[in-house]
């Protein structure tokens, strides 16, 4: 599906982003791992999170829907191999499901599953979860030792101390989930802080959990004590509208009901540094990991932008929003640099290549580096055509580039947006009208 986004001269109003994708995946998985029913409110309606619901149903959980986004998951408990059927699980396009679910399955002795998905998922590395889960005692095999299909043979797990080679909330979460099933205390150390939604749910579910600097520790537990979870609005989805509000002339958007968790709002701090007007009380790094997700309002208004440099320690806190930093860089005076972001090469597509070729084709002066990109700013976006490459965030990037361009942008493959944000075009239209 191709869509043309023409330049606009108005973007104003109040806006509520869709529910958080990361937290929705975790809500469904932790709901399935609970023996008691878990009430979930504001669960994201998208392709990715539908794949997670389908997976937990296939694993024996029941889902009672009460209304849009409102459901009760009746799970099978943390250790119930009898209720869990063996077989193939289709994660579709979801990297998060692909990396988190094996943590649970690995700790089910007698169980055996194969995880596979769409064409893009076949190129997403899984060696990063194979290595720690094997060290814990589970049997895992992957195509070429690295890619799906991923075969998991459950076992009695033993605790490990694991240091992640790259910051990844998905891998950290996988090991923490397996840690709940392993004999002893499991620790995971990350090189940089990544999103901490799993840790917050562990605290909420009264799992023995500690955090010390960049190390998380979890101990074996019999049952989760989890009864309800509310999913805030997704800062990664809101980021597209916030970016648009920073570059469309005279724009101003008030984002409501957005998750303010400090491990997810790196992009909003970058936006502010670049000169956009951002009025918000973003969460500050808390001393102790809380058992809830803060929610609030963020007011964004257009202003002249200046270039910035995003360094490695900031990357995991804005990982999914870095394509938008490239777009903002085109409107900023000076050179905008992103470093230490080689992880972008293994997202839904190689997002360094996709962003550089995609925005380059729209007249932006941008170059790729091994671990990021450099944008020579001040030109804005001329216009043209961009291929989403089946990547939801590339599709939405093209749309935002289009409404702030000189001549309009055609996005090829706009349907990809539904992976995380089915209502994107409608929400954008409402703010333009
Ligand atoms: C996610 C973590 C990030 C992010 C992805 C969702 C999560 O991936 O890019 O969209 O829900 O934990 P990595 O952990 O691989 O960096």
């Amino acid at each position: 599906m191709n869509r043309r986004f023409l330049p606009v001269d108005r973007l104003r109003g109040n806006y509520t982003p869709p529910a958080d994708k990361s937290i929705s995946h975790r809500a469904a998985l932790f709901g399935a791992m609970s023996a008691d029913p878990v009430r979930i409110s504001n669960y994201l309606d998208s392709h990715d999170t539908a794949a997670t619901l389908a997976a937990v149903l296939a694993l024996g959980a029941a889902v009672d829907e009460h209304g849009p986004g409102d459901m009760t998951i009746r799970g099978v408990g943390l250790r119930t191999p009898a209720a869990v059927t063996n077989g193939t699980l289709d994660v579709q396009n979801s990297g998060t499901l692909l990396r988190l679910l094996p943590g649970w399955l690995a700790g089910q002795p007698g169980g055996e599953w194969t995880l596979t998905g769409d064409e893009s998922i076949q190129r997403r590395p899984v060696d990063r979860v194979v290595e720690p889960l094997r060290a814990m005692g589970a049997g895992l095999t992957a195509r070429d030792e690295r890619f799906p299909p991923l075969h998991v043979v459950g076992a009695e797990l033993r605790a490990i101390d694991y240091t992640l080679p790259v910051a990844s909330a998905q891998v950290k979460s996988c090991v923490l989930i397996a840690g709940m099933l392993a004999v002893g205390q499991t620790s995971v150390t990350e090189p940089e802080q990544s999103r901490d939604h799993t840790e917050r749910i562990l605290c909420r579910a009264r799992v023995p959990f500690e955090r010390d600097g960049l190390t998380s520790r979890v101990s074996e537990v019999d049952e989760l004590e989890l009864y309800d979870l509310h999913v805030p609005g997704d800062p990664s989805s809101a980021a597209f509208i916030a970016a648009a509000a920073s570059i469309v002339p005279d724009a101003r958007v008030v984002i409501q009901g957005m998750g303010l968790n400090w491990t997810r709002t790196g992009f909003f701090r970058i936006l502010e540094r670049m000169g956009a007007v951002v009025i918000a009380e973003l969460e500050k790094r808390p001393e102790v990991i809380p058992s809830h997700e803060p929610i609030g309002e963020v007011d964004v208004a257009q202003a002249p932008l200046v270039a910035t440099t995003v360094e490695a320690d900031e990357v995991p806190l804005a990982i999914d929003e870095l394509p938008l930093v490239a777009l903002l860089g085109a409107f900023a005076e000076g050179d905008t640099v992103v470093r230490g972001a080689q992880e972008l090469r293994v997202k839904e597509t190689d997002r360094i290549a996709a962003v550089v070729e995609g925005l380059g084709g729209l007249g932006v002066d941008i170059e790729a580096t091994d671990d990021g990109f450099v944008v020579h700013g001040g030109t804005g976006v001329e216009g043209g055509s961009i291929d989403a490459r089946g990547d939801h965030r590339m599709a939405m990037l093209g749309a935002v580039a289009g409404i702030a361009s000189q001549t309009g942008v055609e996005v090829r493959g706009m349907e990809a947006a539904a992976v995380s944000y089915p209502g994107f075009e409608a929400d954008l239209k409402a703010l333009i009208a």
Side-chain angles (χ1 to χ4, degrees), residues 22 26 96 128 167-170 195 319-320 343 347 393:
S22 278
R26 286 159 173 80
T96 303
R128 44 186 65 194
S168 163
Q170 295 176 351
R195 65 190 69 187
I319 184 76
D320 294 331
E343 267 302 282
K347 292 294 174 191
R393 299 200 204 279

Side-chain angles (χ1 to χ4, degrees), residues 72-366:
T72 299
I73 301 201
R74 284 183 283 114
V76 295
L78 212 42
R79 288 180 182 77
T80 46
V84 180
T85 48
N86 296 3
T88 297
L89 296 165
D90 184 359
V91 306
Q92 297 180 31
N93 189 248
S94 174
T96 303
L97 181 56
L98 176 68
R99 275 65 169 264
L100 264 61
L101 186 53
W104 184 30
L105 302 179
Q108 309 298 332
E112 226 178 284
W113 297 268
T114 301
L115 279 75
T116 190
D118 69 8
E119 196 202 321
S120 135
I121 219 76
Q122 306 292 335
R123 297 190 299 268
R124 310 287 301 273
V126 288
D127 48 342
R128 44 186 65 194
V129 299
V130 167
E131 187 190 297
L133 294 177
R134 266 188 196 157
M136 295 176 92
L140 286 97
T141 41
R143 179 172 52 87
D144 299 335
E145 278 289 293
R146 187 144 197 252
F147 300 107
L150 172 66
H151 190 70
V152 184
V153 181
E156 299 284 354
L157 301 181
R158 51 184 176 270
I160 54 167
D161 295 308
Y162 192 66
T163 300
L164 299 183
V166 276
S168 163
Q170 295 176 351
V171 181
K172 173 177 67 174
S173 300
C174 173
V175 178
L176 290 174
I177 290 169
M180 293 192 289
L181 294 152
V183 179
Q185 190 183 54
T186 295
S187 77
V188 193
T189 302
E190 44 187 352
E192 277 108 23
Q193 172 77 48
S194 65
R195 65 190 69 187
D196 67 2
H197 305 307
T198 301
E199 294 90 310
R200 290 183 192 222
I201 297 179
L202 292 175
C203 293
R204 189 171 187 83
R206 298 184 182 280
V207 174
F209 171 82
E210 290 164 21
R211 177 88 181 173
D212 176 12
L214 291 170
T215 299
S216 298
R217 293 190 187 84
V218 68
S219 297
E220 192 182 6
V221 68
D222 289 331
E223 284 303 343
L224 303 177
E225 291 180 43
L226 188 63
Y227 306 103
D228 55 18
L229 274 173
H230 177 74
V231 183
D234 197 323
S236 299
S237 297
F240 289 94
I241 302 296
S246 312
I247 53 180
V248 166
D250 208 27
R252 178 166 181 196
V253 174
V254 180
I255 304 167
Q256 296 172 324
M258 190 185 102
L260 300 178
N261 179 321
W262 77 281
T263 64
R264 288 294 297 287
T265 47
F267 172 74
F268 290 85
R269 290 186 287 271
I270 295 168
L271 199 56
E272 192 170 26
R273 197 160 81 216
M274 293 181 83
V277 182
V278 180
I279 304 167
E281 277 189 47
L282 303 177
E283 185 191 46
K284 304 253 169 18
R285 182 182 198 142
E287 296 258 311
V288 176
I289 297 208
S291 57
H292 71 281
E293 295 282 348
I295 299 182
E297 212 171 83
V298 181
D299 187 343
V300 183
Q302 187 262 335
L305 300 183
V306 290
T308 192
T309 295
V310 176
E311 301 284 0
D313 60 339
E314 222 177 355
V315 162
L317 309 179
I319 184 76
D320 294 331
E321 294 74 67
L322 294 176
L324 287 168
V325 174
L327 175 62
L328 296 170
F331 289 83
E333 275 318 315
D335 287 355
T336 291
V337 182
V338 171
R339 281 199 269 263
Q342 56 280 1
E343 267 302 282
L344 288 178
R345 296 214 181 264
V346 292
K347 292 294 174 191
E348 283 80 336
T349 182
D350 174 344
R351 280 198 186 139
I352 293 179
V355 165
V356 169
E357 288 160 27
L359 292 183
L362 302 178
V364 175
D365 188 358
I366 178 169

Side-chain angles (χ1 to χ4, degrees), residues 400-416:
V400 175
I403 64 166
S405 69
Q406 285 143 37
T407 60
V409 170
E410 183 180 54
V411 180
R412 299 194 302 277
M414 193 62 213
E415 68 279 0

